[in-house]
Amino acid sequence: MKDIQELPERSRPVAEALTNAGVSGRIRELPASTRTAAEAAEALGCEVGAIANSLVFMADEQPLLVMTSGRHRVDTALLTKRLGKEKIRRAAPEEVREATGQAIGGVAPVGHPAPVETVVDLTLQEYPQLWAAGGTPRTIFPTDFSELVAMTTGTVVEVN
C-alpha cells in the first residue's frame, strides 16, 4: 500500500477521511481505469454489483451523492419521491467537481471539500465486500455496507 503522500493529489483527502473515519481499507492505485463499474469489476475480479458507484445528482439544486450498486441505474423519479425532493437531476461535470473536488469516474464517498448529502443504496448490503472510488478514475478502496453507511452518514434507501 502506498503512503498518503505517494497517492495522486485528489486521493489524499480521501485517504485522510478514511483514516479519520477508522476505515481499515486503504486506497489502491490500479494500472487500468476504474472509471466505470464494469472496468472496476474487471480489474478487481469481482461482480459488477460489488462496485459502489458514486453518482452525483442535484436534488433541488443541492448536491446529492448516491452510492449505488454497479449492477443497476438510479431511478430519479422514484428517488425524488422517496427523499421528498421536488426535482433530482444528474449533475453536470463542473457541478460534480465543485461539490466533491473530484472528477466523474473517480468520485469517492468521502474526502469532499464540504459535506455532501449522501444516499446509500440498500442493494449494496447484498455484497460482503464493496469497492469504492478513491478520488481518481484509477484509485479504489475496499469497504463494506455498514462501514460505507457510517463513513458517509448516508441515508439507506432503495434507489431503483
Side-chain angles (χ1 to χ4, degrees):
M1 295 301 147
K2 291 185 173 195
D3 180 82
I4 286 179
Q5 296 308 314
E6 295 178 276
L7 291 171
E9 184 179 344
R10 299 269 181 211
S11 295
R12 292 177 196 157
V14 179
E16 289 172 17
L18 294 174
T19 298
N20 293 340
V23 174
S24 60
R26 295 292 170 241
I27 294 175
R28 301 173 188 187
E29 189 169 12
L30 300 176
S33 171
T34 56
R35 184 176 296 274
T36 68
E39 288 174 345
E42 185 174 330
L44 294 163
C46 69
E47 289 183 54
V48 73
I51 303 300
N53 273 346
S54 306
L55 305 175
V56 181
F57 294 84
M58 298 303 287
D60 299 339
E61 295 309 307
Q62 296 299 311
L64 174 68
L65 177 62
V66 178
M67 300 300 303
T68 186
S69 171
R71 76 177 196 220
H72 57 71
R73 295 186 179 275
V74 174
D75 182 334
T76 55
L78 182 65
L79 191 58
T80 299
K81 194 179 294 184
R82 287 192 171 147
L83 296 179
K85 304 288 185 183
E86 299 263 332
K87 180 182 178 185
I88 295 178
R89 64 171 174 82
R90 284 299 286 257
E94 60 275 6
E95 291 171 319
V96 173
R97 175 86 66 179
E98 184 178 329
T100 67
Q102 301 153 1
I104 292 172
V107 174
V110 294
H112 312 133
V116 177
E117 180 182 2
T118 303
V119 168
V120 179
D121 183 2
L122 184 64
T123 304
L124 289 169
Q125 74 179 344
E126 296 172 15
Y127 300 91
Q129 183 173 53
L130 301 171
W131 294 91
T136 74
R138 288 184 34 192
T139 54
I140 197 160
F141 69 93
T143 189
D144 64 34
F145 182 77
S146 297
E147 195 172 66
L148 183 62
V149 172
M151 80 174 84
T152 62
T153 64
T155 302
V156 177
V157 65
E158 287 184 68
V159 302
N160 73 339

